[in-house]
Amino acid sequence: YNAKDYAFAAGRFREFLAKYSNHKDAVSAHYGLALAILDGPDKDYNAAVAELQPLAGAKDAPDYPFYLYYLGLAERGQGVKFLAQAAAMPQQAQQLKDQAHGRFDEAAKQFAAALAAFSARVKPPAADAKDLPIDLEWAARARCDLAEMRLRLLDPKGAREAVEVFT
């Protein structure tokens, strides 16, 4: 994964999970597989959601906010794909747009939960700190993605509220 050979990494994660599904590092393998799927050239948002959804309940896990964030990212990807299909198939456009709306709504919930989880982990920076705490940066990223989902859901007031802290 670190060498950016996502197809190879996904294969190795799948192999590990097939052999050692009950291993103590299986959760990390599911997370790594989801990241490899999302970062690879052939993004399979459905597979990423399938890997991340069970992890989203692990509130005590150190990577919990990331599970939520990437689950939101995968659900947003599903919604965007539905919109692309709607443009290509006008006879089914309304049904596909409704499905996209549902995915965007779910993504908004995940981004909001990720924002809360990252924000809860932020520690005040030292007086001489030159960089922002990384959790604060991730919270800002989740906030922006939440605003995007609110806009896609035709909720400009919700989008404005999501990013109001920046002003």
Side-chain angles (χ1 to χ4, degrees), residues 9 32 65 78 81 85 89 97 102 113 115 131-133 142 148 152 162 164:
Q78 289 175 320
K81 278 197 166 190
Q85 290 172 348
M89 297 185 288
K97 286 179 183 178
L115 168 61
D131 296 323
L132 291 174
E148 178 196 348
R152 287 185 181 270
E164 200 166 44

Side-chain angles (χ1 to χ4, degrees), residues 97-109 146-156 159:
K97 286 179 183 178
D98 290 345
Q99 288 178 305
H101 182 88
R103 294 292 85 213
F104 293 147
D105 189 48
E106 285 300 313
K109 290 174 187 173
L146 173 59
E148 178 196 348
M149 291 303 93
R150 292 275 128 232
L151 289 173
R152 287 185 181 270
L153 292 167
L154 304 177
D155 178 15

Side-chain angles (χ1 to χ4, degrees), residues 117-138:
F118 281 121
S119 296
R121 293 182 0 167
V122 173
K123 294 178 179 44
D128 60 344
K130 294 184 180 170
D131 296 323
L132 291 174
I134 193 70
D135 288 326
L136 185 59
E137 290 185 26
W138 275 98

Side-chain angles (χ1 to χ4, degrees), residues 3-76:
K4 299 188 186 316
D5 189 350
Y6 303 117
F8 179 80
R12 291 299 150 259
F13 285 125
R14 284 186 180 105
E15 182 181 312
F16 177 85
L17 289 166
K19 288 182 182 178
Y20 308 107
S21 62
N22 293 325
H23 192 277
K24 66 179 177 75
D25 291 329
V27 170
S28 295
H30 284 287
Y31 179 50
L33 176 55
L35 292 180
I37 291 168
L38 290 172
D39 289 339
D42 301 321
K43 295 171 182 11
D44 183 350
Y45 297 112
N46 295 334
V49 166
E51 294 298 326
L52 290 165
Q53 225 157 21
L55 303 180
K59 294 183 180 186
D60 294 334
D63 288 329
Y64 173 69
F66 294 101
Y67 301 159
L68 298 173
Y69 179 82
Y70 284 108
L71 180 56
L73 193 75
E75 289 173 334
R76 174 177 60 196

